[in-house]
Amino acid sequence: MLNERVLVLNRLWQAVNICTVKRAVVLLYCGHASVVFENNGDYQTFAFNDWRDFSMRNDNGDKCIHGLKYNLIVPRVVLLANYDKVPIKDIKLTRYNIYQRDRNTCQYCGKVFDRNELNLDHVIPREMGGKTDWLNLVCSCRDCNAKKGNRTPKQADMHLVRKPRKPRWTPLTSYNLGSDTHDTWKKFIDVSHWDVDLGDEE
Ligand SMILES: [Zn+2]
């Protein structure tokens, strides 16, 4: 349980990292972070002592870390006290990340598909000098892919639903958030994960 994952927000409530429960408790204990707890749509923050007291008052089935003197409810989101940056890295060009960027949506017919039904399409075919990069790769379903063949969209009389761009990296891009994402994370991840990507460009 100490190795379960905790979402880390910077001082401005932007998701910047994921750490273990163990690490989160250390941050909390040292005063570098507080726990973010959702209560009927409100987000309250708790410093270590407050969280300990809250945990003792509210021992109703939440997962707890059992200590010698007290139990702590396992935090799911913590807010850093001082850090206000968003670390920047370059985002890797991978099949997964292209599917993420395009939200599993065929960029020609606009329909959403399972990933195993999608292909990567070179908008300008490689044979015509099209590059393998963010601006020339899109998600495409099998039908559209077959229809387009080795032609440009113009030649095939097909239109991209959205101009492909390089997404801005967010700290959570490299995590597969699929399975064990906590409900409390969603609010912070929805706004930070891939939604901020397509605005401004280099
Ligand atoms: Zn399609």
Side-chain angles (χ1 to χ4, degrees), residues 15-84:
V16 291
N17 202 358
I18 288 169
C19 73
T20 60
V21 167
K22 197 170 163 183
R23 171 80 184 140
V25 170
V26 171
L27 289 170
L28 186 61
Y29 186 77
C30 299
H32 295 314
S34 50
V35 176
V36 175
F37 185 79
E38 190 199 344
N39 191 2
N40 295 324
D42 273 350
Y43 291 89
Q44 295 173 272
T45 57
F46 295 86
F48 180 80
N49 286 343
D50 300 332
W51 186 243
R52 184 192 58 201
D53 296 346
F54 179 84
S55 297
M56 288 196 291
R57 287 198 310 274
N58 295 276
D59 193 4
N60 45 16
D62 287 302
K63 254 194 196 173
C64 281
I65 303 159
H66 298 283
L68 292 175
K69 293 181 189 152
Y70 49 80
N71 297 335
L72 272 190
I73 296 175
V74 173
R76 298 303 179 192
V77 179
V78 295
L79 178 72
L80 295 173
N82 300 313
Y83 189 75
D84 61 5

Coordinates of all heavy atoms in Angstrom, one line a residue, residues 15-84:
A15 N -1.1 19.4 -11.9 CA -0.6 18.0 -11.7 C 0.8 18.0 -12.3 O 1.1 18.4 -13.5 CB -1.4 17.0 -12.4
V16 N 1.8 17.7 -11.5 CA 3.2 17.7 -12.0 C 3.9 16.4 -11.8 O 5.0 16.1 -12.4 CB 4.1 18.8 -11.3 CG1 3.7 20.2 -11.7 CG2 4.0 18.6 -9.8
N17 N 3.3 15.4 -11.1 CA 4.1 14.2 -10.9 C 3.1 13.2 -10.2 O 2.0 13.5 -9.8 CB 5.2 14.5 -9.9 CG 6.3 13.4 -10.1 OD1 6.2 12.5 -10.8 ND2 7.4 13.6 -9.3
I18 N 3.7 12.0 -10.2 CA 3.0 10.9 -9.4 C 4.1 10.3 -8.5 O 5.2 10.1 -9.0 CB 2.5 9.8 -10.4 CG1 1.3 10.4 -11.1 CG2 2.1 8.6 -9.7 CD1 0.8 9.6 -12.3
C19 N 3.8 10.1 -7.3 CA 4.8 9.5 -6.4 C 4.1 8.4 -5.6 O 2.9 8.1 -5.8 CB 5.4 10.6 -5.4 SG 4.2 11.1 -4.1
T20 N 4.9 7.8 -4.7 CA 4.3 6.7 -3.9 C 3.7 7.3 -2.7 O 4.0 8.4 -2.3 CB 5.4 5.7 -3.5 OG1 6.4 6.5 -2.7 CG2 6.1 5.1 -4.7
V21 N 2.9 6.5 -2.0 CA 2.3 6.9 -0.8 C 3.4 7.2 0.3 O 3.3 8.2 1.0 CB 1.3 5.8 -0.3 CG1 0.9 6.0 1.2 CG2 0.1 5.7 -1.1
K22 N 4.4 6.4 0.2 CA 5.5 6.5 1.2 C 6.1 7.9 1.0 O 6.3 8.6 2.0 CB 6.5 5.4 0.8 CG 7.5 5.1 1.9 CD 8.3 3.9 1.4 CE 9.6 3.7 2.2 NZ 10.3 2.6 1.6
R23 N 6.4 8.3 -0.2 CA 7.0 9.6 -0.5 C 6.1 10.7 -0.1 O 6.5 11.7 0.5 CB 7.4 9.6 -2.0 CG 7.8 11.0 -2.5 CD 9.3 11.2 -2.1 NE 9.7 12.5 -2.5 CZ 10.5 13.3 -1.8 NH1 11.0 12.9 -0.7 NH2 10.8 14.5 -2.3
A24 N 4.8 10.5 -0.4 CA 3.8 11.6 -0.1 C 3.8 11.8 1.4 O 3.7 12.9 1.9 CB 2.5 11.2 -0.6
V25 N 3.8 10.7 2.2 CA 3.7 10.9 3.6 C 5.0 11.6 4.2 O 4.9 12.4 5.1 CB 3.5 9.5 4.3 CG1 3.7 9.6 5.8 CG2 2.2 8.9 4.0
V26 N 6.1 11.3 3.6 CA 7.3 12.0 4.0 C 7.2 13.5 3.7 O 7.5 14.4 4.5 CB 8.6 11.4 3.3 CG1 9.8 12.3 3.5 CG2 8.9 10.0 3.7
L27 N 6.7 13.8 2.5 CA 6.5 15.2 2.1 C 5.6 15.9 3.1 O 5.7 17.0 3.5 CB 6.0 15.3 0.7 CG 6.9 15.0 -0.4 CD1 6.1 14.9 -1.8 CD2 8.0 16.1 -0.5
L28 N 4.5 15.2 3.4 CA 3.5 15.7 4.3 C 4.1 15.9 5.7 O 3.9 17.0 6.3 CB 2.4 14.6 4.4 CG 1.1 14.9 5.1 CD1 0.4 16.1 4.5 CD2 0.2 13.7 5.1
Y29 N 4.8 14.9 6.2 CA 5.4 15.0 7.5 C 6.4 16.1 7.6 O 6.4 16.8 8.7 CB 6.1 13.6 7.8 CG 6.5 13.5 9.2 CD1 5.7 13.3 10.3 CD2 7.9 13.7 9.5 CE1 6.1 13.2 11.6 CE2 8.3 13.6 10.8 CZ 7.4 13.4 11.9 OH 7.8 13.3 13.2
C30 N 7.1 16.4 6.6 CA 8.1 17.4 6.6 C 7.5 18.8 6.4 O 8.2 19.8 6.3 CB 9.2 17.2 5.6 SG 10.1 15.7 5.9
G31 N 6.2 18.9 6.1 CA 5.6 20.2 5.8 C 5.8 20.7 4.4 O 5.5 21.8 4.1
H32 N 6.3 19.8 3.5 CA 6.5 20.3 2.1 C 5.2 20.1 1.3 O 5.2 20.6 0.2 CB 7.6 19.5 1.5 CG 9.0 19.7 2.1 ND1 9.4 21.0 2.4 CD2 9.9 18.9 2.4 CE1 10.6 20.9 2.9 NE2 11.0 19.6 3.0
A33 N 4.3 19.4 1.8 CA 3.0 19.2 1.1 C 1.9 19.0 2.0 O 2.0 18.7 3.2 CB 3.2 17.9 0.2
S34 N 0.7 19.3 1.5 CA -0.5 19.0 2.3 C -1.4 18.0 1.5 O -1.3 17.9 0.3 CB -1.3 20.3 2.6 OG -1.4 21.0 1.4
V35 N -2.3 17.4 2.2 CA -3.2 16.4 1.5 C -4.4 17.2 0.9 O -4.9 18.1 1.5 CB -3.7 15.4 2.5 CG1 -4.8 14.4 1.8 CG2 -2.6 14.6 3.1
V36 N -4.7 16.8 -0.3 CA -5.9 17.4 -0.9 C -7.0 16.3 -0.8 O -6.9 15.2 -1.2 CB -5.7 17.7 -2.4 CG1 -7.0 18.2 -3.1 CG2 -4.6 18.8 -2.6
F37 N -8.1 16.7 -0.2 CA -9.2 15.8 0.0 C -10.5 16.4 -0.5 O -10.9 17.5 -0.2 CB -9.3 15.5 1.5 CG -10.3 14.5 1.9 CD1 -10.0 13.1 1.7 CD2 -11.6 14.8 2.4 CE1 -11.0 12.1 2.1 CE2 -12.5 13.9 2.7 CZ -12.2 12.5 2.6
E38 N -11.2 15.5 -1.3 CA -12.5 16.0 -1.8 C -13.6 15.7 -0.9 O -13.8 14.5 -0.5 CB -12.7 15.4 -3.2 CG -13.9 16.1 -3.9 CD -14.5 15.3 -5.0 OE1 -13.9 14.3 -5.5 OE2 -15.6 15.6 -5.4
N39 N -14.4 16.7 -0.6 CA -15.6 16.5 0.2 C -16.8 17.1 -0.4 O -16.9 18.3 -0.5 CB -15.3 17.2 1.6 CG -16.3 16.8 2.6 OD1 -17.2 16.0 2.3 ND2 -16.2 17.3 3.8
N40 N -17.6 16.3 -1.0 CA -18.8 16.8 -1.8 C -18.5 17.9 -2.8 O -19.1 18.9 -2.8 CB -19.8 17.3 -0.8 CG -20.4 16.2 0.1 OD1 -20.5 15.0 -0.4 ND2 -20.6 16.5 1.4
G41 N -17.4 17.6 -3.5 CA -17.1 18.6 -4.6 C -16.2 19.8 -4.1 O -15.7 20.5 -4.9
D42 N -16.0 19.9 -2.8 CA -15.1 20.9 -2.3 C -13.7 20.2 -2.1 O -13.6 19.1 -1.7 CB -15.5 21.4 -1.0 CG -16.5 22.5 -1.1 OD1 -16.6 23.0 -2.3 OD2 -17.1 22.9 -0.1
Y43 N -12.7 21.0 -2.3 CA -11.4 20.4 -2.1 C -10.8 21.1 -0.9 O -10.6 22.3 -0.8 CB -10.5 20.6 -3.3 CG -10.9 19.8 -4.4 CD1 -11.8 20.2 -5.3 CD2 -10.4 18.5 -4.5 CE1 -12.3 19.4 -6.4 CE2 -10.9 17.6 -5.5 CZ -11.8 18.1 -6.4 OH -12.2 17.3 -7.4
Q44 N -10.5 20.3 0.1 CA -9.9 20.8 1.4 C -8.5 20.4 1.4 O -8.1 19.3 0.9 CB -10.6 20.2 2.6 CG -12.1 20.7 2.7 CD -12.8 19.9 3.8 OE1 -13.3 18.9 3.6 NE2 -12.7 20.5 5.0
T45 N -7.6 21.2 2.0 CA -6.2 20.7 2.2 C -5.9 20.6 3.7 O -6.5 21.3 4.5 CB -5.3 21.8 1.6 OG1 -5.5 23.0 2.2 CG2 -5.5 21.9 0.1
F46 N -5.1 19.6 4.0 CA -4.7 19.3 5.3 C -3.2 19.2 5.5 O -2.6 18.4 4.7 CB -5.3 17.9 5.7 CG -6.8 17.8 5.7 CD1 -7.5 17.6 4.6 CD2 -7.5 18.0 6.9 CE1 -8.9 17.5 4.6 CE2 -8.9 17.9 6.9 CZ -9.6 17.7 5.8
A47 N -2.7 19.9 6.4 CA -1.3 19.7 6.8 C -1.2 18.4 7.6 O -2.3 17.8 8.0 CB -0.8 20.9 7.6
F48 N 0.0 17.9 7.9 CA 0.1 16.6 8.5 C -0.7 16.4 9.8 O -1.5 15.5 9.9 CB 1.6 16.4 8.9 CG 1.8 15.0 9.5 CD1 1.9 13.9 8.8 CD2 1.9 14.9 10.9 CE1 2.1 12.6 9.3 CE2 2.1 13.7 11.5 CZ 2.2 12.5 10.7
N49 N -0.6 17.4 10.7 CA -1.3 17.2 12.0 C -2.9 17.2 11.8 O -3.6 16.4 12.4 CB -1.0 18.3 13.0 CG 0.4 18.1 13.5 OD1 0.9 17.0 13.5 ND2 1.0 19.2 14.1
D50 N -3.3 18.0 10.9 CA -4.7 18.1 10.6 C -5.2 16.8 9.9 O -6.3 16.3 10.2 CB -5.1 19.3 9.7 CG -4.7 20.6 10.3 OD1 -4.7 20.7 11.5 OD2 -4.3 21.5 9.5
W51 N -4.4 16.3 9.1 CA -4.7 15.0 8.4 C -4.7 13.9 9.4 O -5.6 13.0 9.3 CB -3.7 14.8 7.3 CG -4.1 13.6 6.4 CD1 -3.4 12.4 6.2 CD2 -5.2 13.5 5.6 NE1 -4.0 11.6 5.4 CE2 -5.1 12.2 4.9 CE3 -6.3 14.3 5.3 CZ2 -6.1 11.7 4.0 CZ3 -7.3 13.8 4.4 CH2 -7.2 12.6 3.8
R52 N -3.8 13.9 10.3 CA -3.8 12.8 11.3 C -5.1 12.9 12.2 O -5.8 11.9 12.4 CB -2.6 13.0 12.2 CG -2.4 11.9 13.3 CD -1.3 12.4 14.3 NE -1.7 13.7 14.9 CZ -0.9 14.5 15.5 NH1 0.4 14.2 15.6 NH2 -1.3 15.6 16.0
D53 N -5.5 14.1 12.6 CA -6.7 14.2 13.3 C -7.9 13.9 12.5 O -8.8 13.2 13.0 CB -6.8 15.7 13.8 CG -5.7 16.1 14.8 OD1 -5.0 15.2 15.2 OD2 -5.5 17.3 15.0
F54 N -7.9 14.3 11.3 CA -9.0 14.0 10.4 C -9.1 12.5 10.2 O -10.2 11.9 10.2 CB -8.8 14.7 9.0 CG -9.9 14.4 8.0 CD1 -11.0 15.2 8.0 CD2 -9.7 13.4 7.1 CE1 -12.0 14.9 7.1 CE2 -10.7 13.1 6.1 CZ -11.9 13.9 6.1
S55 N -8.0 11.8 10.1 CA -8.0 10.4 9.9 C -8.6 9.7 11.1 O -9.3 8.7 11.0 CB -6.5 9.9 9.7 OG -6.0 10.4 8.5
M56 N -8.3 10.2 12.3 CA -8.8 9.5 13.5 C -10.3 9.7 13.7 O -11.0 8.9 14.1 CB -8.0 10.1 14.7 CG -6.6 9.5 14.7 SD -5.7 9.7 16.3 CE -5.5 11.4 16.4
R57 N -10.7 10.9 13.2 CA -12.2 11.2 13.3 C -13.0 10.5 12.3 O -14.2 10.3 12.4 CB -12.4 12.7 13.2 CG -12.0 13.6 14.3 CD -12.7 14.9 14.3 NE -12.5 15.6 13.0 CZ -11.5 16.3 12.6 NH1 -10.5 16.5 13.5 NH2 -11.4 16.9 11.4
N58 N -12.3 10.2 11.2 CA -13.1 9.7 10.0 C -12.6 8.3 9.6 O -12.3 8.1 8.4 CB -13.0 10.6 8.8 CG -13.6 12.0 9.1 OD1 -14.8 12.1 9.0 ND2 -12.8 12.9 9.6
D59 N -12.6 7.4 10.5 CA -12.1 6.1 10.2 C -13.3 5.2 9.7 O -13.8 4.4 10.4 CB -11.5 5.4 11.5 CG -10.7 4.2 11.1 OD1 -10.6 3.9 9.9 OD2 -10.3 3.5 12.1
N60 N -13.7 5.5 8.5 CA -14.9 4.8 8.0 C -14.6 4.1 6.7 O -15.2 4.3 5.7 CB -16.1 5.8 7.8 CG -15.6 7.0 7.1 OD1 -14.5 7.1 6.5 ND2 -16.4 8.1 7.2
G61 N -13.6 3.2 6.8 CA -13.4 2.3 5.6 C -12.4 2.8 4.6 O -12.1 2.0 3.7
D62 N -11.9 4.0 4.8 CA -10.8 4.4 3.9 C -9.6 3.6 4.2 O -9.4 3.1 5.3 CB -10.5 5.9 4.1 CG -11.6 6.8 3.5 OD1 -11.8 6.7 2.3 OD2 -12.1 7.6 4.3
K63 N -8.8 3.4 3.2 CA -7.5 2.7 3.4 C -6.6 3.5 4.4 O -6.5 4.7 4.2 CB -6.8 2.5 2.1 CG -6.9 1.1 1.6 CD -5.9 0.9 0.5 CE -6.2 -0.3 -0.3 NZ -5.4 -0.4 -1.5
C64 N -6.1 2.8 5.3 CA -5.3 3.5 6.3 C -3.8 3.0 6.4 O -3.6 1.8 6.1 CB -5.9 3.4 7.7 SG -7.2 4.5 8.0
I65 N -2.9 3.9 6.7 CA -1.6 3.4 7.1 C -1.6 3.3 8.6 O -1.9 4.2 9.3 CB -0.6 4.5 6.7 CG1 -0.7 4.8 5.2 CG2 0.8 4.1 7.0 CD1 -0.1 6.2 4.8
H66 N -1.3 2.1 9.0 CA -1.4 1.9 10.5 C 0.0 2.2 11.1 O 1.0 1.5 10.8 CB -1.8 0.5 10.8 CG -3.2 0.2 10.2 ND1 -4.3 0.7 10.8 CD2 -3.6 -0.4 9.1 CE1 -5.4 0.3 10.1 NE2 -5.0 -0.3 9.0
G67 N 0.0 3.2 12.0 CA 1.2 3.5 12.7 C 1.1 3.0 14.1 O 0.2 2.4 14.5
L68 N 2.2 3.3 14.9 CA 2.2 2.9 16.3 C 1.2 3.7 17.1 O 0.5 3.2 17.9 CB 3.6 3.1 16.8 CG 4.7 2.2 16.3 CD1 6.0 2.5 16.8 CD2 4.3 0.7 16.6
K69 N 1.2 5.0 16.8 CA 0.3 5.8 17.7 C -1.0 6.2 17.0 O -1.9 6.6 17.6 CB 1.1 7.1 18.1 CG 2.2 6.8 19.0 CD 2.9 8.1 19.4 CE 4.2 7.8 20.1 NZ 5.2 8.9 19.9
Y70 N -1.0 6.2 15.7 CA -2.2 6.7 15.0 C -2.2 6.1 13.6 O -1.2 5.5 13.1 CB -2.2 8.2 14.9 CG -0.8 8.8 14.3 CD1 -0.6 8.7 13.0 CD2 0.1 9.3 15.2 CE1 0.6 9.2 12.5 CE2 1.3 9.7 14.7 CZ 1.6 9.7 13.4 OH 2.8 10.1 12.9
N71 N -3.4 6.1 13.0 CA -3.6 5.7 11.7 C -3.8 6.9 10.8 O -4.3 7.9 11.2 CB -4.8 4.8 11.5 CG -4.7 3.6 12.4 OD1 -3.6 3.1 12.6 ND2 -5.8 3.0 12.8
L72 N -3.3 6.8 9.6 CA -3.5 7.9 8.6 C -4.3 7.3 7.4 O -3.9 6.2 6.9 CB -2.1 8.3 8.0 CG -1.3 9.4 8.7 CD1 -0.1 9.8 7.8 CD2 -2.1 10.6 9.1
I73 N -5.3 8.0 7.0 CA -5.9 7.7 5.7 C -4.9 7.9 4.6 O -4.2 8.9 4.6 CB -7.2 8.5 5.5 CG1 -8.2 8.3 6.6 CG2 -7.8 8.2 4.1 CD1 -9.4 9.2 6.5
V74 N -4.9 6.9 3.7 CA -3.9 7.0 2.6 C -4.3 8.2 1.7 O -5.4 8.3 1.2 CB -4.0 5.7 1.7 CG1 -3.1 5.9 0.5 CG2 -3.5 4.6 2.5
P75 N -3.3 9.2 1.6 CA -3.6 10.3 0.7 C -3.6 9.9 -0.8 O -2.9 9.0 -1.2 CB -2.5 11.3 1.0 CG -1.4 10.5 1.6 CD -2.0 9.2 2.1
R76 N -4.5 10.5 -1.6 CA -4.5 10.2 -3.0 C -4.0 11.4 -3.8 O -3.5 11.2 -5.0 CB -6.0 10.0 -3.4 CG -6.6 8.8 -2.7 CD -5.8 7.5 -3.0 NE -6.4 6.3 -2.3 CZ -5.7 5.2 -2.2 NH1 -4.5 5.1 -2.6 NH2 -6.3 4.2 -1.6
V77 N -4.1 12.6 -3.3 CA -3.5 13.7 -4.0 C -2.8 14.6 -2.9 O -3.4 14.8 -1.8 CB -4.7 14.6 -4.6 CG1 -4.1 15.8 -5.3 CG2 -5.5 13.7 -5.6
V78 N -1.7 15.1 -3.3 CA -1.0 16.0 -2.4 C -0.6 17.3 -3.1 O -0.4 17.3 -4.3 CB 0.3 15.5 -1.7 CG1 -0.1 14.3 -0.8 CG2 1.3 15.0 -2.7
L79 N -0.6 18.4 -2.4 CA -0.3 19.7 -2.9 C 1.0 20.2 -2.4 O 1.2 20.3 -1.2 CB -1.5 20.6 -2.5 CG -1.4 22.1 -2.9 CD1 -1.7 22.2 -4.4 CD2 -2.5 22.9 -2.1
L80 N 2.0 20.5 -3.2 CA 3.3 20.9 -2.8 C 3.2 22.4 -2.3 O 2.4 23.2 -2.8 CB 4.3 20.9 -3.9 CG 4.6 19.5 -4.4 CD1 5.5 19.5 -5.6 CD2 5.3 18.6 -3.3
A81 N 3.9 22.7 -1.2 CA 3.8 24.0 -0.6 C 4.6 25.0 -1.4 O 4.1 26.2 -1.4 CB 4.4 23.9 0.8
N82 N 5.7 24.7 -1.9 CA 6.5 25.7 -2.5 C 6.7 25.7 -4.0 O 7.0 26.7 -4.7 CB 7.9 25.7 -1.8 CG 7.8 26.0 -0.4 OD1 7.1 26.9 0.0 ND2 8.4 25.1 0.4
Y83 N 6.7 24.5 -4.5 CA 7.0 24.3 -5.9 C 5.9 24.8 -6.9 O 4.8 24.4 -6.7 CB 7.3 22.8 -6.2 CG 7.8 22.5 -7.5 CD1 9.2 22.7 -7.8 CD2 7.0 21.9 -8.5 CE1 9.7 22.4 -9.0 CE2 7.6 21.6 -9.8 CZ 8.9 21.8 -10.0 OH 9.4 21.5 -11.2
D84 N 6.3 25.7 -7.8 CA 5.2 26.2 -8.6 C 5.5 26.1 -10.1 O 4.9 26.7 -11.0 CB 4.9 27.7 -8.3 CG 6.1 28.6 -8.5 OD1 7.1 28.1 -9.0 OD2 6.0 29.8 -8.2

